[in-house]
């Protein structure tokens, strides 16, 4: 099988959401053992029941920096050989023009989209370094590259993920660990379901491929970056945006 992940274990954050659940399904389909995280246990349990064996639910709030260490330890204990693939996918938006942006919305977005990934990766990567194999994959965003009015907080966090990954890729390249990002365009998930018909039509017109993305489009890119076949790809950002931006 191409992109065979049998014998590998993956921790996917935000697996209760649109992209995260598709990523979990796709990695599991390739044979990976899964640890799925989010704050909504019911959604995670539903996904675990759907996928069947080799799926473990690890509920936890990544906004609480102090609990991330415990969460990482618990994840490593669940899996026999530690975590091989970390997908930093959990994210939120709190959109507002900068002049109206509250400190709370600024810090919440930076904290969850960027800082939680720092803390979780720092814990999980130690085991990868010992075992000399690992994949760290961040779900950034096209707006981290192009910017978007009303999303200074979110765009800064997503751009920060890209700088973080490049620096870390250099630190761990000699240990068999790759660190990459995916920058999705507009993907149909609960995060984008509040868009009006008019906004969707306008967005669609800006996508050369002519449709909004599906969570499965992003999941396929995660499977590739997680695979043995992608062992020579590091420090990069894979754009999955239907051609709407070609940086
Ligand atoms: P989503 O359906 O809203 O999923 C967001 C996920 O993040 C949920 O599983 C949620 O879990 C989790 N999460 C939120 N706060 C958390 C916390 N404090 N602790 C742990 N987990 C938390 O959105 P999505 O579209 O799938 O987004 C997934 C990622 O893709 C995000 O990083 C997003 O920025 C990025 N992205 C999305 C798009 C798009 O168009 N949809 C485009 C570019 C990038 P709970 O609900 O269980 O708390």
């Amino acid at each position: 099988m191409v992109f065979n992940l049998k014998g590998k274990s993956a921790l996917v954050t935000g697996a209760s959401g649109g992209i995260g659940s598709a990523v979990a399904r796709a990695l599991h389909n390739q044979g990976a053992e899964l640890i799925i995280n989010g704050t909504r246990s019911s959604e995670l349990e539903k996904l675990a029941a759907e996928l069947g064996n080799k799926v473990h639910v690890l509920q936890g709030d990544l906004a609480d920096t102090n609990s991330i260490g415990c969460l990482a330890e618990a994840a490593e204990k669940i899996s026999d050989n530690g975590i091989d693939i970390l997908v930093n996918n959990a994210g939120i938006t709190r959109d507002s023009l900068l002049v109206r942006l509250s400190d709370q919305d600024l810090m919440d977005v930076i904290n969850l989209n960027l800082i939680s990934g720092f803390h979780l990766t720092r814990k999980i990567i130690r085991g990868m370094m010992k075992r000399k194999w690992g994949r760290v994959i961040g779900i950034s965003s096209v707006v981290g590259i192009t910017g978007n009015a009303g999303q200074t907080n979110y765009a800064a966090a997503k751009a920060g993920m890209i700088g973080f990954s490049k620096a870390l890729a250099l630190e761990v390249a000699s240990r068999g660990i790759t660190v990459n990002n995916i920058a999705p365009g507009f993907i149909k998930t609960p995060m984008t379901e509040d868009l009006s018909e008019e906004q969707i039509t306008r967005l669609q017109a800006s996508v050369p491929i002519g449709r909004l993305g599906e969570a499965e489009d992003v999941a396929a890119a995660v499977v590739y970056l997680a695979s043995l076949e992608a062992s020579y790809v590091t420090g990069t950002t894979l754009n999955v945006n239907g051609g709407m931006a070609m940086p």
Side-chain angles (χ1 to χ4, degrees), residues 108-236:
D108 285 353
V109 166
I110 300 280
N111 186 39
L112 188 69
N113 291 278
L114 179 61
I115 308 292
S116 74
F118 265 80
H119 290 292
L120 191 58
T121 306
R122 187 160 56 181
K123 293 284 179 194
I124 296 291
I125 208 159
R126 285 175 187 274
M128 293 179 180
M129 289 167 86
K130 271 192 210 135
R131 294 187 299 278
K132 297 204 180 320
W133 200 93
R135 300 281 186 264
V136 179
I137 301 164
I139 308 300
S140 176
S141 168
V142 64
V143 308
I145 298 164
T146 62
N148 193 26
Q151 291 197 309
T152 50
N153 50 356
Y154 183 73
K158 294 303 192 185
M161 289 177 74
I162 295 173
F164 166 78
S165 298
K166 287 181 180 176
L168 182 60
L170 291 171
E171 290 183 16
V172 297
S174 64
R175 312 286 189 112
I177 303 168
T178 66
V179 187
N180 292 291
N181 278 292
I182 291 163
F186 288 93
I187 310 294
K188 281 189 266 171
T189 72
M191 187 177 269
T192 48
E193 72 189 359
D194 288 342
L195 293 175
S196 65
E197 277 301 312
E198 188 202 329
Q199 281 171 312
I200 290 178
T201 310
R202 197 160 23 88
L203 279 172
Q204 227 156 261
S206 71
V207 180
I209 283 181
R211 63 171 176 87
L212 298 194
E214 302 288 341
E216 289 71 21
D217 294 319
V218 180
V222 172
V223 166
Y224 167 64
L225 290 175
S227 70
L228 300 174
E229 286 85 347
S231 62
Y232 205 56
V233 178
T234 197
T236 196

Side-chain angles (χ1 to χ4, degrees), residues 14 16-19 39-40 61-62 89 112 140 154 158 185 187 189:
S16 45
I19 291 175
T39 65
R40 287 173 299 154
D61 183 357
L62 296 172
N89 165 73
L112 188 69
S140 176
Y154 183 73
K158 294 303 192 185
I187 310 294
T189 72

Side-chain angles (χ1 to χ4, degrees), residues 1-187:
M1 192 207 287
V2 188
F3 307 151
N4 189 348
L5 297 175
K6 224 171 170 187
K8 301 293 183 198
S9 58
L11 170 57
V12 181
T13 71
S16 45
I19 291 175
S21 59
V23 166
R25 285 188 189 94
L27 293 174
H28 192 260
N29 210 24
Q30 298 306 116
E33 178 178 16
L34 286 185
I35 298 163
I36 51 176
N37 163 263
T39 65
R40 287 173 299 154
S41 306
S42 54
E43 289 303 311
L44 296 171
E45 293 292 353
K46 232 190 277 173
L47 180 61
E50 174 200 318
L51 294 179
N53 63 350
K54 292 200 300 175
V55 184
H56 314 274
V57 169
L58 185 59
Q59 189 269 350
D61 183 357
L62 296 172
D64 177 5
T65 305
N66 295 325
S67 72
I68 292 179
C70 303
L71 201 127
E73 264 172 45
E76 301 231 281
K77 269 191 202 136
I78 289 171
S79 160
D80 285 344
N81 300 312
I83 305 298
D84 302 302
I85 301 159
L86 170 62
V87 186
N88 285 317
N89 165 73
I92 52 167
T93 51
R94 298 278 185 273
D95 296 352
S96 168
L97 294 175
L98 179 67
V99 289
R100 292 196 209 118
L101 180 65
S102 69
D103 287 355
Q104 192 70 51
D105 286 349
L106 168 62
M107 293 321 295
D108 285 353
V109 166
I110 300 280
N111 186 39
L112 188 69
N113 291 278
L114 179 61
I115 308 292
S116 74
F118 265 80
H119 290 292
L120 191 58
T121 306
R122 187 160 56 181
K123 293 284 179 194
I124 296 291
I125 208 159
R126 285 175 187 274
M128 293 179 180
M129 289 167 86
K130 271 192 210 135
R131 294 187 299 278
K132 297 204 180 320
W133 200 93
R135 300 281 186 264
V136 179
I137 301 164
I139 308 300
S140 176
S141 168
V142 64
V143 308
I145 298 164
T146 62
N148 193 26
Q151 291 197 309
T152 50
N153 50 356
Y154 183 73
K158 294 303 192 185
M161 289 177 74
I162 295 173
F164 166 78
S165 298
K166 287 181 180 176
L168 182 60
L170 291 171
E171 290 183 16
V172 297
S174 64
R175 312 286 189 112
I177 303 168
T178 66
V179 187
N180 292 291
N181 278 292
I182 291 163
F186 288 93
I187 310 294

